[in-house]
């Protein structure tokens, strides 16, 4: 099929067919080849458990058969991408979220049930895990954006507001979770004020590499891999995101040019987080590739 001199999308297609799981193949076909939505949902259903949650390494850094909030957040993002974040399928997911929430009504990153199954060392298993914005924010923002109304959302939304308002020292993944919440929550005026403050925090703490040619000068958060930097496009995944206002046109242009240049000869994008098992890196690259393609297309950087 496509060689190294081919169009970036053709090269990515070759990479997806060569390496990706069925789910990512179906997602790519739907988003970039006019494929149907039903096969995406069918592939996703293989990861669903009877409790309404998702498991089976849907999120590659968590292995095993037990449902976890991070898997379920991943499932919701897939349903959102095919316009099916509604109906009984989401009602079932919200029941699961209610069942596994902490006393604050929000989600821990990892439930103790993961113990005994392989998991990334940077996601520790503890007996009484606290609620975290990292796990709760993206789910709450996505459900609000899809106008889902469920009792679980009330307390979870309050938790996210409190967590965002309390942020002073943070790290890139937590900021990404915060902006995912703020991009979807109904109170737009409050969201804009909170996002403005977070933008100042991101720039003040140098959590975004504003010049990729000088990224070695930017700090990497504790516990991250040595080159696990984050760039403006990681926060502002679409021009509509509140995080877009954090960066100048020149900064975003450099970021997108860097993202486009990161495509490897095999057509895929690299994983920059800590790789702890062979399978997780193999499964992670198609996910990163899909995300890169979506971001480039959102900004008009993926030619037709």
């Amino acid at each position: 099929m496509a060689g190294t001199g081919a169009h970036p999308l053709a090269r990515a297609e070759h990479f997806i067919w060569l390496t990706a799981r069925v789910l990512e193949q179906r997602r790519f076909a739907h988003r970039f080849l006019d494929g149907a939505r039903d096969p995406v949902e069918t592939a996703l259903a293989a990861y669903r458990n009877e409790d309404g949650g998702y498991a089976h390494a849907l999120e590659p850094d968590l292995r095993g058969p037990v449902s976890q909030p991070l898997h379920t957040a991943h499932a919701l993002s897939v349903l959102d991408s095919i316009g099916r974040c509604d109906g009984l399928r989401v009602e079932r997911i919200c029941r699961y979220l209610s069942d596994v929430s902490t006393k604050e009504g929000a989600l821990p990153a990892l439930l103790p049930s993961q113990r005994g199954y392989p998991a990334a060392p940077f996601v520790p298993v503890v007996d009484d895990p606290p609620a975290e914005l990292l796990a709760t924010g993206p789910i709450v923002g996505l459900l609000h954006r899809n106008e889902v109304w469920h009792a679980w959302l009330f307390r979870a939304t309050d938790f996210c507001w409190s967590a965002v308002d309390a942020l002073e020292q943070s790290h890139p993944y937590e900021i990404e979770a915060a902006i995912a919440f703020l991009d979807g929550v109904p109170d737009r005026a409050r969201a804009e004020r909170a996002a403005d403050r977070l933008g100042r925090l991101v720039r003040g703490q140098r959590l975004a590499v504003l010049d990729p040619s000088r990224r070695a000068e930017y700090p990497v958060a504790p516990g991250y891999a040595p080159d696990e930097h984050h760039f403006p496009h990681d926060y502002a995944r679409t021009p509509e995101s509140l995080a877009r206002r954090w960066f100048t046109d020149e900064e975003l242009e450099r970021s997108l040019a860097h993202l486009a240049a990161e495509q490897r000869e095999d057509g895929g994008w690299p994983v920059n987080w800590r790789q702890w098992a062979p399978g997780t890196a193999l499964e992670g690259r198609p996910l990163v590739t899909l995300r890169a393609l979506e971001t480039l297309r959102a900004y008009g950087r993926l030619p037709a």
Side-chain angles (χ1 to χ4, degrees):
M1 138 110 30
T4 57
H7 186 289
L9 186 58
R11 292 165 56 201
E13 180 183 353
H14 178 75
F15 174 78
I16 292 292
W17 295 134
L18 179 67
T19 67
R21 304 180 294 192
V22 172
L23 176 58
E24 282 72 54
Q25 291 179 24
R26 294 299 201 181
R27 290 181 63 194
F28 180 89
H30 169 65
R31 298 297 283 171
F32 298 101
L33 303 175
D34 295 324
R37 298 184 297 173
D38 285 350
V40 179
E41 191 165 9
T42 299
L44 179 64
Y47 296 88
R48 189 175 66 231
N49 281 336
E50 292 182 2
D51 61 6
Y54 288 75
H56 310 286
L58 177 56
E59 188 63 38
D61 281 325
L62 301 178
R63 320 301 288 185
V66 293
S67 298
Q68 291 291 343
L70 292 178
H71 291 309
T72 305
H74 191 134
L76 278 168
S77 72
V78 173
L79 292 172
D80 178 55
S81 74
I82 59 173
R84 291 189 172 173
C85 196
D86 58 12
L88 289 176
R89 58 176 70 84
V90 173
E91 173 69 27
R92 182 170 54 227
I93 289 173
C94 287
R95 283 201 302 269
Y96 165 77
L97 298 174
S98 299
D99 290 343
V100 300
S101 288
T102 65
K103 62 181 181 299
E104 297 93 347
L107 299 168
L110 195 62
L111 300 169
S113 55
Q114 185 66 34
R115 185 173 283 110
Y117 298 104
F122 47 81
V123 190
V125 181
V126 298
D127 288 333
D128 189 21
E132 292 191 28
L133 180 63
L134 189 70
T136 314
I139 290 178
V140 172
L142 186 150
L143 292 176
H144 277 306
R145 195 173 69 250
N146 283 275
E147 299 182 347
V148 172
W149 294 105
H150 188 276
W152 177 78
L153 269 172
F154 292 100
R155 294 182 65 208
T157 300
D158 288 343
F159 169 85
C160 290
W161 276 126
S162 296
V164 168
D165 290 343
L167 282 179
E168 293 181 0
Q169 289 291 125
S170 191
H171 59 93
Y173 291 120
E174 187 173 48
I175 296 293
E176 287 182 21
I179 199 66
F181 166 70
L182 294 174
D183 277 344
V185 74
D187 189 340
R188 302 314 300 153
R190 185 177 179 183
E192 289 186 13
R193 291 193 300 271
D196 287 345
R197 188 181 72 83
L198 288 187
R200 293 191 294 272
L201 184 153
V202 165
R203 297 184 74 93
Q205 295 180 20
R206 306 184 75 215
L207 299 182
V209 176
L210 302 179
D211 185 352
S213 68
R214 303 174 64 180
R215 62 181 170 183
E217 300 175 15
Y218 286 81
V220 174
Y224 283 31
D227 195 35
E228 199 170 352
H229 290 103
H230 289 242
F231 300 84
H233 67 261
D234 289 311
Y235 302 104
R237 297 198 181 278
T238 70
E240 295 76 30
S241 173
L242 291 174
R244 172 63 185 89
R245 307 176 189 182
W246 300 350
F247 310 107
T248 67
D249 291 347
E250 182 182 8
E251 289 165 349
L252 186 65
E253 179 64 26
R254 285 197 298 255
S255 181
L256 292 170
H258 170 73
L259 176 62
E262 281 285 279
Q263 188 177 22
R264 297 299 188 246
E265 287 189 5
D266 62 7
W269 270 258
V271 165
N272 71 343
W273 61 83
R274 198 174 301 280
Q275 299 176 33
W276 59 279
T280 61
L282 184 66
E283 293 171 358
R285 285 194 67 205
L287 291 167
V288 171
T289 297
L290 282 172
R291 187 168 62 196
L293 292 172
E294 290 281 12
T295 301
L296 291 170
R297 185 166 72 170
Y299 283 98
R301 295 293 297 262
L302 197 64

